[in-house]
Amino acid sequence: MIAVLVLVSLLALFGLCLPRLLRPMPARAAPGPPPDGAAHPESMVAELDPGDEEYLAGLADELWPDDEYLELERTSDGEEESGGSGMRL
């Protein structure tokens, strides 16, 4: 008797899910770059106002006081450049 109730319950559950299983899948948009301003509205090349630049520099110094990128490194031509991982691009 319990087996029949379980079987009827499973059939009812399957009957409720059947319309969703038979519904066609929605078409996906082709992968590509997002439309202008959609994913990254901020500009990566915009110049900051001097006050904003100073504020961000102070904030970075407070949050990352031992930042290795602030150290100067000697290059092969004797010039100094900002530090980093040592990789040359």
Side-chain angles (χ1 to χ4, degrees), residues 65-86:
D66 297 325
D67 189 3
E68 65 186 35
Y69 291 100
L70 295 176
E71 300 170 8
L72 295 178
E73 293 182 345
R74 294 272 180 207
T75 61
S76 58
D77 60 2
E79 295 291 319
E80 288 183 341
E81 66 178 26
S82 60
S85 63

Side-chain angles (χ1 to χ4, degrees), residues 3-83:
V4 172
L5 289 174
V6 170
L7 184 61
V8 169
S9 297
L10 289 174
L11 286 174
L13 184 61
F14 180 72
L16 291 173
C17 295
L18 189 61
R20 288 188 180 192
L21 293 173
L22 297 178
R23 185 174 33 184
M25 295 288 288
R28 287 187 174 181
D36 290 337
H40 299 286
E42 68 277 357
S43 173
M44 297 302 290
V45 294
E47 292 286 326
L48 293 175
D49 292 331
D52 292 338
E53 192 171 328
E54 192 171 326
Y55 168 74
L56 289 175
L59 184 63
D61 188 44
E62 184 178 319
L63 294 174
W64 300 284
D66 297 325
D67 189 3
E68 65 186 35
Y69 291 100
L70 295 176
E71 300 170 8
L72 295 178
E73 293 182 345
R74 294 272 180 207
T75 61
S76 58
D77 60 2
E79 295 291 319
E80 288 183 341
E81 66 178 26
S82 60

